[in-house]
Amino acid sequence: MTTTNDIPTTPITDILRRMVDLARQVEPQSPGGDRMAKIAMQMAMDSIDPEHTPSTIETMLMRRVAEEKERRRERDQKWAERVKSVERRMLEEREQELEWQEIKFEAARKRDEANVNAVREELARVQAELELARRGIVKAKEDAQEAMREVERTKKETGGARKEVEQLKDELKRSKAELERAKEETERERERADRAEAEHKQVARRANSESQSAEEKAELIAWSRYKSQWRLLKRVTTADPAAGQLQVLRFEDLPWPTVVPPTSPTMITDAEVAAFLRSGPPLREGESMRARIKDSLLTWHPDKFAGRWIQYVIESDRARVTDGITAVVRAGSRALAEYTSRTSPPKSRVPTKNRITQG
């Protein structure tokens, strides 16, 4: 008696067992199920017997099993080839992916290198700008220090300027006080001039008492007036030495060298000036009329007289004074020329024959 453990486990036995299991799963009332179960049981029993000769069905089944094995082998081979093809394709795709990744990595590396170079250049530019900024800060600090020193100097100069302003204010106050004193002195000089005029009148009365001619009286009064006005002019102009701060003289206040005191430049004629110069006091020893005329021309020289006295003349009379000075110089020059031509000896005429011989 054979046990379950003694039953050989061949591939056919496995197939038959599976067929029996399938037959048992078929419903009992199904004819096909009964027939298949019977065939499976018979084949299982026959496979147990080693001396059993396979029947046609068994042979067919065995051939079918062999064909099934061959199909399985071919299928497994196809599956193996397909798996190898898939593996090759996957390997190729993997290689392509690796190549693409390498290309991407190279591109990323180049891009990163370009970015690094750009960052380095930007860093160098920023460092250069930072260096320039540092130099600018140093220069700004130096400028600020220089500005602070300049401010200190300006403060000191401002303090000095304030002191100078205070001094100028004090000087202005003193100048105003001196101006007031000069005005008072001018008034006193006018009073003196009035007294001098009174003296002129007394001189005129004395001239009348001495039975002098009218012309001599006028000449005497003119020279007295001339000297008095010059004294008054010098006193007025020395009262305030600052130029242009005291304008008190009028055209009539100047000592014009005429017999009749002029009231306009047109009254200063050549005849009036010449008559005045000739009617002066007697010439001193060694003095000549030529020297007197030259001295008068030097006194009334336009540049000298204007530079010394014109600044004390009121603005409205300066043009008339300038015209009067010009008239005096012109008349004096003509008087000098006339006197020179009258007093110089006549030139002797040389005969024509002698001139030719001398030539």
Side-chain angles (χ1 to χ4, degrees):
M1 183 176 179
T2 60
T3 60
T4 306
N5 296 329
D6 295 334
I7 298 173
T9 56
T10 61
I12 296 175
T13 304
D14 294 336
I15 294 172
L16 292 176
R17 284 179 180 175
R18 286 196 296 272
M19 292 177 66
V20 171
D21 292 335
L22 290 173
R24 288 175 180 175
Q25 292 177 3
V26 179
E27 295 181 0
Q29 59 271 21
S30 175
D34 293 340
R35 187 164 56 86
M36 289 296 296
K38 289 179 181 180
I39 293 171
M41 291 176 64
Q42 184 63 39
M43 290 180 67
M45 292 175 64
D46 292 339
S47 63
I48 295 172
D49 188 4
E51 296 179 357
H52 175 70
T53 302
S55 63
T56 303
I57 295 174
E58 291 177 354
T59 303
M60 183 180 62
L61 288 174
M62 291 177 66
R63 189 169 57 252
R64 292 289 300 273
V65 169
E67 291 175 356
E68 182 68 21
K69 287 182 178 180
E70 184 66 21
R71 284 196 300 272
R72 286 185 178 181
R73 187 181 64 78
E74 292 178 356
R75 185 184 60 189
D76 293 341
Q77 186 177 0
K78 289 180 179 180
W79 274 106
E81 292 177 355
R82 184 176 296 178
V83 168
K84 289 180 180 180
S85 176
V86 171
E87 288 179 352
R88 284 195 303 272
R89 188 165 59 251
M90 291 177 65
L91 182 60
E92 291 176 356
E93 291 178 356
R94 181 62 178 171
E95 290 178 353
Q96 290 180 358
E97 184 178 358
L98 290 176
E99 289 179 358
W100 279 108
Q101 289 180 356
E102 186 176 358
I103 293 172
K104 290 180 180 179
F105 176 77
E106 185 67 20
R109 186 182 63 79
K110 292 181 179 180
R111 186 172 60 253
D112 292 340
E113 288 181 356
N115 292 333
V116 169
N117 293 331
V119 170
R120 287 177 179 174
E121 292 176 357
E122 183 68 18
L123 179 60
R125 186 181 63 81
V126 171
Q127 288 178 350
E129 292 179 355
L130 181 60
E131 184 64 23
L132 291 176
R134 288 175 180 173
R135 294 178 182 177
I137 291 172
V138 173
K139 185 67 170 58
K141 288 182 179 179
E142 293 177 355
D143 293 342
Q145 293 176 357
E146 182 64 24
M148 291 297 294
R149 290 192 292 269
E150 186 66 24
V151 168
E152 294 297 329
R153 288 195 297 269
T154 304
K155 287 182 179 179
K156 293 180 181 179
E157 292 176 357
T158 303
R162 288 178 180 175
K163 292 180 181 179
E164 291 180 0
V165 169
E166 295 297 330
Q167 293 176 358
L168 290 175
K169 287 182 179 179
D170 296 338
E171 186 67 24
L172 180 60
K173 291 179 181 179
R174 288 193 296 271
S175 298
K176 288 182 178 180
E178 291 177 359
L179 180 60
E180 293 297 329
R181 288 194 298 271
K183 289 181 179 179
E184 294 175 358
E185 184 66 22
T186 302
E187 293 297 330
R188 288 193 292 270
E189 290 297 333
R190 288 186 184 278
E191 293 177 358
R192 294 192 188 99
D194 294 338
R195 288 195 296 270
E197 188 68 24
E199 291 177 359
H200 296 163
K201 292 179 180 180
Q202 291 178 2
V203 170
R205 285 194 297 271
R206 283 198 303 270
N208 289 329
S209 64
E210 294 174 359
S211 302
Q212 294 178 347
S213 64
E215 185 177 355
E216 292 176 351
K217 293 177 183 178
E219 292 174 356
L220 182 60
I221 293 173
W223 273 96
S224 178
R225 174 184 54 79
Y226 184 74
K227 293 180 180 180
S228 298
Q229 284 184 331
W230 267 114
R231 287 195 299 269
L232 176 61
L233 180 63
K234 292 179 180 179
R235 289 177 182 177
V236 170
T237 55
T238 55
D240 187 7
Q245 293 185 359
L246 187 61
Q247 299 177 0
V248 295
L249 298 178
R250 297 170 299 175
F251 179 85
E252 293 80 3
D253 296 331
L254 296 180
W256 298 108
T258 57
V259 177
V260 179
T263 57
S264 66
T266 57
M267 296 179 64
I268 305 175
T269 61
D270 297 349
E272 283 287 332
V273 174
F276 177 81
L277 294 176
R278 288 194 300 268
S279 65
L283 296 174
R284 295 186 299 272
E285 184 178 357
E287 185 183 8
S288 64
M289 182 58 66
R290 181 188 182 91
R292 177 180 290 183
I293 296 174
K294 283 188 175 182
D295 184 64
S296 178
L297 287 174
L298 183 62
T299 301
W300 288 92
H301 189 276
D303 294 336
K304 181 179 179 181
F305 190 91
R308 178 68 179 87
W309 312 106
I310 198 68
Q311 56 190 345
Y312 298 102
V313 179
I314 60 177
E315 196 71 29
S316 59
D317 281 8
R318 288 189 179 183
R320 294 199 303 156
V321 169
T322 302
D323 294 340
I325 295 171
T326 304
V328 170
V329 173
R330 182 176 61 249
S333 299
R334 290 177 179 175
L336 180 62
E338 182 180 355
Y339 179 80
T340 302
S341 63
R342 188 172 61 249
T343 57
S344 60
K347 296 181 180 179
S348 59
R349 293 178 58 85
V350 180
T352 306
K353 182 178 180 181
N354 294 339
R355 287 204 303 269
I356 295 174
T357 304
Q358 292 174 2

